Amino acid sequence: DVMGKCDPYIILSLGSQKQQTSIKYSTYDPDYDEEFAFTLDEGNSDLLTMDLMDWDRLTDHDYIGTVQIDLNNVTASFGDAGDCVER
């Protein structure tokens, strides 16, 4: 960002489903206290992708980075993950 500030948000993707967090203005340490629900179906991707972006008013938003989480590993770690992941 030209002004030296970051306005981060995250795009969450699971298969063809996409959702987005709110934009946190002027911070390098955002706190996302938000919940999202995705539908997990057999045969669909179990890979949750999170693209971190920097919102810009006048130019294209800047890509910061990507994290991918294999939800099969999350359910294996939590055992009965009824509160975490519902299939």
Side-chain angles (χ1 to χ4, degrees), residues 30-59:
D31 183 11
Y32 296 101
D33 188 18
E34 301 177 35
E35 294 182 14
F36 298 91
F38 291 94
T39 302
L40 295 175
D41 292 322
E42 292 296 324
N44 285 347
S45 175
D46 287 336
L47 190 63
L48 176 64
T49 301
M50 296 178 281
D51 294 314
L52 180 58
M53 304 295 291
D54 178 16
W55 179 86
D56 289 313
R57 179 181 309 275
L58 301 176
T59 61

Side-chain angles (χ1 to χ4, degrees), residues 19-32:
Q19 298 187 46
Q20 179 178 313
T21 66
S22 59
I23 300 166
K24 304 297 181 180
Y25 296 97
S26 300
T27 183
Y28 287 101
D29 188 20
D31 183 11
Y32 296 101

